[in-house]
């Protein structure tokens, strides 16, 4: 038995969907453990594109069980909509292949509105959220006033829980001059969809314990990237959950000894969506080329991603923070047309050189990257499936990354297609 956690080692959008899909074919169980429908995965299978937001990537594979863990915040209406969308593409979602943790917290309409209100009011200080209510929902969870999946079972209990959460939110809404939410209408809306959600509800921690006894292979699927972690990311320009690998344990209800291997998905350059520090960002024609060739637009929001050179200092740091055993290097083919390629190997801050990414946002915004330059290979790498067939300059770049970040490269992706992957080692077989 081998259980694997997949996390993004940058700011998300590293191409986790393709790698998770490839691994899910070998896994028995695929579990989402944090985030919400603010992060999307794009899968391309036999020419069909699937854009998933809440559903784990394993849902598109037959004979796999997909689970949403307690660490995920769930918009029940968005989930039901996504289930219907994927059913239209021939994917069956039923009580045998899909489970939601009874302890998962719900995103409700006032969470989405509060997200929008705050972003609009912040002006230049906005975080750059997806405006889907993720942050406010996590706030209610920590504030112990959240509505959870299990609360949908009892109208009496739901009434009490709504009373508690609306006292908080309506007080804020009144102060902002916004219309208050009516408890009865919201309760009615939730009770209407409750049976559709509750049919999938189970104690996930118990299911995982049984799967472990049965020697099932479990794939823990992270959303976003480590640099968006609420503790270890570019705070306050972060998400509202912990995106590091250890979250797989708390976000599903299993101990850290359930994790055997951590795979970090790493783009061959760097991108970021939304506001916040980005030391290697390119606002010139090279940045535009990376964005165009890499089709750098958000799966969920369609927002254009900011693009820049590979930041080795950042990735080396996230590898240590998240306990990454190996990385899957993605989108190498996007660099094919460049004359030269740069990698950040150090920073300069106030005239001094530093070899780590500082925690203070002011320092993060003021650091200057120091680069090592590599000659480009100027030849297509897409469809290549053997590392020995790569251009020499591409191999030099890859090996330089591996040496600098102090982690093994386990695979190299050369196109969005699942089969266009150079496999160095299979995490499930180590």
């Amino acid at each position: 038995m081998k259980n694997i956690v997949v996390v993004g080692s940058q700011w998300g959008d590293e191409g986790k969907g393709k790698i998770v899909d490839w691994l899910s074919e070998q896994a028995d169980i695929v579990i989402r453990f944090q985030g919400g429908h603010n992060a999307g995965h794009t899968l391309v299978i036999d020419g069909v594109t699937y854009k998933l937001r809440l559903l784990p990537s394993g849902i598109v594979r037959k004979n796999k069980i997909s689970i949403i863990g307690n660490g995920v915040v769930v918009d029940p209406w968005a989930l039901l909509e996504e289930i219907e969308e994927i059913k239209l593409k021939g994917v069956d979602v039923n009580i045998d292949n899909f489970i939601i943790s009874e302890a998962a917290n719900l995103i409700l309409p006032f969470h989405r509105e509060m997200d929008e209100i705050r972003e609009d009011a912040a002006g230049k200080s906005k975080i750059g959220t997806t405006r889907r209510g993720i942050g406010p929902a996590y706030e209610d969870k920590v504030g112990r006033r959240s509505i959870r999946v299990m609360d949908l079972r009892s109208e009496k209990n739901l009434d009490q829980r709504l009373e508690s959460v609306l006292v908080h939110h309506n007080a804020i809404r009144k102060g902002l001059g916004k219309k208050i939410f009516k408890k009865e209408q919201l309760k009615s809306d939730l009770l209407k969809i409750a049976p559709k959600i509750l049919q999938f509800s189970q104690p996930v921690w118990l299911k995982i314990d049984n799967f472990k006894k049965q020697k099932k292979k479990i794939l823990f699927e992270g959303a976003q990237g480590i640099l968006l972690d609420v503790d270890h990311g570019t705070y306050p320009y972060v998400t509202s959950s912990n995106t590091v690998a250890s979250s797989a344990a708390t976000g599903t209800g299993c101990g850290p000894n359930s994790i055997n291997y951590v795979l970090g998905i790493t783009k061959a350059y760097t991108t970021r969506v939304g506001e916040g520090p980005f030391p290697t960002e390119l606002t010139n024609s090279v940045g535009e080329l990376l964005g165009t060739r890499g089709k750098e637009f958000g799966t969920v929001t369609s927002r254009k991603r900011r693009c820049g050179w590979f930041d080795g200092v950042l990735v080396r740091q996230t590898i240590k923070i998240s306990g990454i055993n190996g990385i899957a290097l993605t989108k190498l083919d996007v660099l094919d047309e460049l004359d030269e390629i740069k990698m950040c190997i150090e920073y300069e801050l106030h005239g001094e050189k530093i070899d780590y990414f500082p925690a203070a946002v002011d320092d993060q915004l003021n650091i200057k990257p120091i680069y090592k330059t590599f000659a480009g290979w100027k030849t297509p790498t897409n469809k290549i499936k053997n590392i020995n067939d790569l251009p020499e300059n591409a191999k030099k770049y890859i090996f330089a990354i591996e040496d600098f970040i102090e982690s093994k490269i386990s695979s190299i992706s050369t196109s969005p297609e699942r089969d266009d992957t150079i496999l160095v080692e299979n995490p499930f077989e180590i």
Side-chain angles (χ1 to χ4, degrees):
M1 181 185 69
K2 176 79 73 170
N3 300 328
I4 297 171
V5 178
V6 174
V7 291
S9 70
Q10 295 154 307
W11 277 291
D13 310 310
E14 299 95 348
K16 290 186 291 295
K18 169 183 170 175
I19 305 300
V20 169
D21 173 55
W22 171 70
L23 289 169
S24 67
E25 193 171 37
Q26 305 170 67
D28 301 301
I29 320 294
V30 183
I31 308 179
R32 272 283 306 273
F33 58 85
Q34 50 75 220
H37 64 312
N38 55 334
H41 288 170
T42 301
L43 312 180
V44 181
I45 304 171
D46 298 327
V48 180
T49 299
Y50 303 92
K51 293 184 180 293
L52 304 178
R53 299 175 292 281
L54 266 173
L55 292 171
S57 297
I59 200 70
V60 300
R61 295 285 171 193
K62 291 183 179 179
N63 303 316
K64 311 292 178 184
I65 296 176
S66 293
I67 300 175
I68 290 178
N70 57 275
V72 179
V73 285
V74 178
D75 182 322
W77 293 278
L79 175 60
L80 294 175
E81 182 180 326
E82 187 174 339
I83 289 173
E84 290 306 310
E85 285 176 5
I86 203 165
K87 281 184 175 180
L88 292 175
K89 294 195 174 186
V91 177
D92 190 21
V93 181
N94 56 61
I95 59 174
D96 294 320
N97 70 353
F98 180 52
I99 299 170
I100 306 173
S101 170
E102 60 183 2
N105 291 258
L106 299 182
I107 299 173
L108 300 177
F110 49 77
H111 292 132
R112 294 194 298 269
E113 287 194 19
M114 183 56 64
D115 215 353
E116 293 174 353
I117 291 168
R118 287 177 177 169
E119 278 291 275
D120 290 340
K124 292 182 179 180
S125 300
K126 65 181 179 179
I127 301 298
T129 77
T130 57
R131 298 171 178 254
R132 279 163 168 73
I134 310 299
Y138 273 116
E139 287 178 39
D140 280 349
K141 174 181 178 178
V142 176
R144 295 164 293 190
R145 55 181 173 265
S146 185
I147 309 294
R148 299 195 289 176
V149 169
M150 65 181 73
D151 294 323
L152 299 178
R153 294 176 186 156
S154 161
E155 181 176 349
K156 180 181 178 182
N157 183 55
L158 180 61
D159 189 271
Q160 293 173 343
R161 300 302 303 151
L162 284 171
E163 186 77 38
S164 173
V165 73
L166 286 177
V167 164
H168 172 80
H169 278 273
N170 280 338
I172 296 173
R173 295 178 69 86
K174 284 180 181 177
L176 294 171
K178 303 294 181 180
K179 184 179 178 181
I180 66 170
F181 266 83
K182 301 290 186 180
K183 181 185 71 173
E184 291 304 319
Q185 182 60 55
L186 188 53
K187 183 173 72 171
S188 174
D189 292 342
L190 283 169
L191 289 174
K192 191 179 300 183
I193 63 169
K196 296 179 181 179
I197 298 295
L198 289 173
Q199 65 175 323
F200 301 115
S201 172
Q202 294 191 47
V204 164
W205 68 269
L206 184 58
K207 296 296 295 184
I208 293 176
D209 189 55
N210 289 332
F211 292 142
K212 287 165 62 179
K213 290 175 182 176
Q214 298 166 23
K215 305 298 184 184
K216 299 291 187 182
K217 293 180 181 178
I218 303 174
L219 181 63
F220 297 90
E221 176 184 8
Q224 300 145 308
I226 296 167
L227 291 169
L228 292 175
D229 185 279
V230 69
D231 285 306
H232 301 289
T234 49
Y235 190 90
Y237 302 96
V238 293
T239 193
S240 299
S241 61
N242 287 111
T243 60
V244 291
S246 52
S247 252
T250 54
T252 60
C254 65
N257 61 345
S258 300
I259 300 168
N260 306 115
Y261 188 98
V262 179
L263 180 66
I265 315 302
T266 307
K267 199 175 287 187
Y269 50 103
T270 311
T271 62
R272 175 165 200 169
V273 172
E275 308 300 318
F278 187 171
T280 64
E281 182 174 11
L282 296 169
T283 56
N284 56 16
S285 59
V286 176
E288 286 294 322
L289 177 66
L290 293 175
T292 301
R293 282 183 56 81
K295 297 181 173 59
E296 298 295 354
F297 296 91
T299 300
V300 172
T301 62
S302 297
R303 286 187 295 178
K304 186 178 180 180
R305 296 173 187 143
R306 300 154 64 189
C307 298
W309 294 121
F310 183 83
D311 193 329
V313 180
L314 276 180
V315 173
R316 183 176 61 189
Q317 188 161 320
T318 60
I319 284 171
K320 296 181 187 302
I321 288 170
S322 205
I324 290 172
N325 300 104
I327 71 164
L329 191 67
T330 63
K331 291 199 169 185
L332 181 70
D333 55 303
V334 174
L335 305 177
D336 287 350
E337 294 182 2
L338 296 174
D339 293 316
E340 64 177 27
I341 297 160
K342 295 182 180 182
M343 177 174 71
C344 177
I345 58 170
E346 206 170 17
Y347 299 133
E348 182 182 312
L349 178 62
H350 305 313
E352 294 185 7
K353 291 182 178 181
I354 58 173
D355 60 358
Y356 67 96
F357 194 59
V361 69
D362 286 347
D363 289 341
Q364 293 172 357
L365 290 167
N366 285 307
I367 56 176
K368 297 177 181 178
I370 298 172
Y371 293 112
K372 181 175 181 179
T373 302
F374 299 83
W377 41 92
K378 302 289 288 184
T379 186
T381 58
N382 64 312
K383 307 295 183 183
I384 292 177
K385 296 181 176 62
N386 189 307
I387 194 167
N388 294 322
D389 295 331
L390 286 171
E392 283 302 313
N393 285 345
K395 286 189 280 188
K396 288 179 182 178
Y397 179 62
I398 290 166
F399 296 145
I401 288 176
E402 188 175 56
D403 287 343
F404 186 83
I405 64 176
E406 301 173 11
S407 180
K408 186 178 183 65
I409 292 179
S410 64
S411 65
I412 303 161
S413 176
T414 55
S415 96
E417 293 291 337
R418 185 171 67 91
D419 293 336
D420 292 336
T421 302
I422 298 169
L423 181 62
V424 179
E425 66 178 21
N426 186 340
F428 273 124
E429 296 176 355
I430 296 171

